[in-house]
Amino acid sequence: MFTDKDTFKQHFQEQFVGQLGKPLKEATSEDIYKVIGSMIREEVGKFWAQTNTSYRESGEKQVYYLSLEFLMGRLLGNNLLNLGALNVVRAGLSELGWDLEEIEEQEADAGLGNGGLGRLAACFMDSLASLQYAGHGCGIRYKYGLFEQRIVDGNQVELPDYWLQRGNVWEERRYDKRVEVSFWGRVETREENGRLVFDTVDAEGIWAVPYDVPLIGFGGRHINTLRIWSAEASENAVRQGMQAGGSYYKYLDYSRTVESITEFLYPDDSQYEGKLLRLKQQYFLCSAGLQSILRTFDKLELPYEELPNKVAIHINDTHPTLVIPELMRILIDMKGYGWDEAWSIVTRTVSYTNHTILSEALEKWPVVMVKDLLPRVYMIIEEINKRFCAELMEKYPDQPDRIAQMAVIHDDQVRMAHLAINGSHSINGVSQLHTDILKEKEMRSFYELYPERFNNKTNGITHRRWLMHANPELSRLYTESMGDGWMTNPYELSQILNYKEDAGFRQRIQQIKLRNKQKLAAYISHKFDTSVDPTSIFDVQVKRLHGYKRQLMNILHVMHLYNEIKANPSIDRVPRTFIFGAKAAPSYYLAKRIIKLINTVAETVNRDPQVRGKLKVFFLENYSVSLAERIIPAADISEQISTASKEASGTGNMKFMMNGALTIGTMDGANVEMYEMLGAENMFIFGLNAEQVNNYYQNGQYSSAGVLARDSRIAQVINQLIQPGPFCTHENEFEEIYHSLISHNDEYFVLEDFADYARAHRDIDAAYRDTENWTRKSIANLAHSGRFASDNTIHEYAREIWKLAEKKQLSMMNI
Ligand code: 26W
């Protein structure tokens, strides 16, 4: 169907009329999108079935990646790419008068995730399928994804993201595979053949209905599954309700309450909120996911002792930790295992990734909530805690504080991270620095107890989406220069180091960057109705808005640059365009104020004739995967400026590197590993390191007011937050920001790091003037980025955590 342009065109035309019942000349771009989507589905259907059959027949170990978030973005372009059909379809459509990019725009951007953690899950799905591992995603089919952000008068306004409004061509509803999930009820205990039996009675059972999305591996032959679950009222409950005299309206109400479980994604990133509905979502995913995992396992007709050899269950942060007690419950209550046997099976099956050390992100559920909603599961958690504390008591008989600090249940709360560590055989951090901090500080006592469980798996990104699809011109240059081996072995990108001294190659790199910048400039110009200079430095910070990520430091520095130009209009500066994109959690007040500040600064700067041609600032609304794909290939500078120790890894940093941007950053997360490869000459490093930050927190000797007293540039900027002037028109507008920095002593060391940050920016200004050398640095970044391809990360997970059989190295020959 996609072998060549003419075959494609013929099929497409037939399918179009056949499916839509109207002539092609009446087509809308949405029609075209849907027809191509369904053609892809048809094309891969056979291979999807084949992949599943081969799994069943070979009995190979299956990995299930449980995650409350999968930030997939659009699939059309990537699916065509992995099918090897991108060029054929582009050319065919073009002959029919359509532009593929415009067709891609028709697809809703599947935003079933908040940020880093959800996007990592999506990159992993692509690598698992492309490397032909038996790895599947298990998630929730939220009716509403992450909110759509609009900027109104400089403020963030949230709108619902009804991404399913126009249907979803990729999913297959599998009602026959639905399972029942139970909440509430009470536990009754009885004795049967000399052993205790636990029955949960009066529980509420609802349906979990799976929707399967094919995950098309590179080459188009290996197709894994992302199974996302949707909550629906069960006919049983309805019938019972009706028989008990309930009205039809009551039924409608009831069914809406049930559906509300999978209604929306919680928009909080790194901020724990103890909402009952969220706990329901978590258990819903764990219970439904496990039932379907075990149903597949049961087909092998093996005893459950074999489960850890045939199944790996990976939990993406603590959100799906309830799989641990839930699997215990199934093994003990339903399969008749004793505690110790069951515990051994569970801990050998489950593994856990930690994605943050921020204490405010650690999940702790109130005991009463868990007990009411999941009475039997809670009993099991209690027993896990009891046995764990007994083990600790034996090991540390005279350290009651240590035991209290490590317990799973404490202060009437269930600590999910402790449960996750306790119930799994592997705990990994997501960058070397992050893992070291977990081992030495945050989880030190657990590391001392179970050192063999802790390991590092530095994050990665899929080079198929973030290079091949997002930056086709650069990909073409690579293939022309060194063949296509890099596509299946991204480490081969290092070969371009050989071209660093080739002036012609450098010029090509410069041209590609310029063209990417021109495209982004056109997009911004159109949105803001203003001109954007594509030869200025594009300096970009795009990521969730959070105090520790320090968008505030970035915008304060922009204010400082503005002040400098105003004070000395003839100052020699390379023109800069600062670009921001960030969503704030709807309840995160300070983050929203920072968005307002960025927009206020942008307004002032962009309309001031005195800085015209030198400085521009844009806040691009509704940052999302598809917007990232536009922005990142056009960046010269990547802002990775978190307070050292706070950013677990970062993955945006890797995407920018893979597209030739130079990083200005702190020694935090995976920046450290980038620095080890690139050295000081290819990165702009500044600020406190993790140890210095930690020392400040411990000895309390930091005073932000002291910094102000020392540095008049910062003092000027800080005063501009509260005094009427270019950036403060309404009184008190940025008062809280001011207080966070001064009265609350600047929790994230914005002021402390400011001077060195400004110095690093001056270094950028100086370096950019030497175009050839700049390009050499850019090439060094491109060349080393292969290390951060998620294919490498997934190979490590497969080998060291999931214990899968080695895969043979793929090559373009067998794709
Ligand atoms: C329940 C509230 C909540 C929601 C999300 C707590 C914690 C989270 C995530 C752990 C936040 C997150 O996305 N962390 C990011 O994970 C990325 C992938 O590993 C890392 O690259 C980022 O550094 C980390 O902030």
Side-chain angles (χ1 to χ4, degrees), residues 69 114-118 120 268-273 278 282 317 319 353-356 360-363 430 459 548-549 646-651:
E69 304 190 12
N114 271 287
L117 160 137
L120 184 76
D268 304 305
D269 184 83
S270 306
Q271 188 70 51
Y272 168 72
E273 275 206 77
R278 168 107 178 150
Q282 296 187 346
D317 215 89
H319 319 155
T353 299
N354 173 287
H355 293 268
T356 182
E360 66 268 30
L362 292 183
E363 294 190 293
V430 290
N459 282 164
Y548 83 82
K549 294 178 187 281
K646 301 279 179 188
E647 189 68 272
S649 160
T651 43

Side-chain angles (χ1 to χ4, degrees), residues 184-354:
W184 313 108
R186 323 167 263 105
V187 179
E188 283 181 355
T189 317
R190 63 192 161 83
E191 222 185 272
E192 200 179 89
N193 304 329
R195 46 173 294 174
L196 276 183
V197 176
F198 300 90
D199 300 309
T200 306
V201 296
D202 295 340
E204 175 193 349
I206 64 165
W207 285 132
V209 180
Y211 289 69
D212 286 353
V213 179
L215 298 162
I216 304 173
F218 193 56
R221 295 291 181 266
H222 194 93
I223 321 279
N224 285 336
T225 302
L226 170 63
R227 176 162 281 185
I228 45 180
W229 297 90
S230 182
E232 293 182 18
S234 85
E235 318 77 274
N236 264 351
V238 172
R239 207 169 297 124
Q240 277 165 14
M242 296 288 238
Q243 275 164 3
S247 74
Y248 179 62
Y249 292 105
K250 267 198 179 148
Y251 156 61
L252 291 182
D253 275 351
Y254 171 71
S255 118
R256 284 200 29 205
T257 342
V258 169
E259 285 163 19
S260 76
I261 295 174
T262 51
E263 186 109 313
F264 70 93
L265 165 80
Y266 273 93
D268 304 305
D269 184 83
S270 306
Q271 188 70 51
Y272 168 72
E273 275 206 77
K275 295 259 167 62
L276 175 66
L277 188 56
R278 168 107 178 150
L279 182 64
K280 277 190 171 178
Q281 289 184 340
Q282 296 187 346
Y283 181 70
F284 176 79
L285 170 68
C286 293
S287 166
L290 260 181
Q291 290 183 63
S292 110
I293 292 167
L294 296 182
R295 190 160 53 192
T296 305
F297 173 77
D298 284 340
K299 295 201 181 117
L300 298 173
E301 298 183 0
L302 292 170
Y304 276 78
E305 283 82 354
E306 281 298 313
L307 190 73
N309 300 326
K310 294 293 174 190
V311 169
I313 298 177
H314 198 88
I315 57 177
N316 199 19
D317 215 89
T318 55
H319 319 155
T321 301
L322 290 171
V323 280
I324 292 168
E326 176 66 4
L327 183 52
M328 284 299 282
R329 186 185 72 79
I330 295 171
L331 291 173
I332 294 171
D333 293 359
M334 297 162 78
K335 310 288 176 188
Y337 281 88
W339 184 276
D340 291 336
E341 295 159 297
W343 188 243
S344 160
I345 294 169
V346 170
T347 50
R348 286 182 295 132
T349 304
V350 179
S351 48
Y352 153 59
T353 299
N354 173 287

Side-chain angles (χ1 to χ4, degrees), residues 121 152 275 350 657 684 737:
V152 180
K275 295 259 167 62
V350 179
M657 181 186 186
F684 300 93
I737 296 180

Side-chain angles (χ1 to χ4, degrees), residues 374-398:
L374 311 165
R376 178 62 184 141
V377 169
Y378 180 72
M379 283 174 78
I380 290 170
I381 297 175
E382 242 182 353
E383 185 65 22
I384 292 172
N385 182 50
K386 205 176 94 193
R387 288 172 185 248
F388 180 51
C389 289
E391 180 189 330
L392 292 174
M393 199 80 91
E394 211 156 280
K395 221 176 149 121
Y396 313 111
D398 45 7

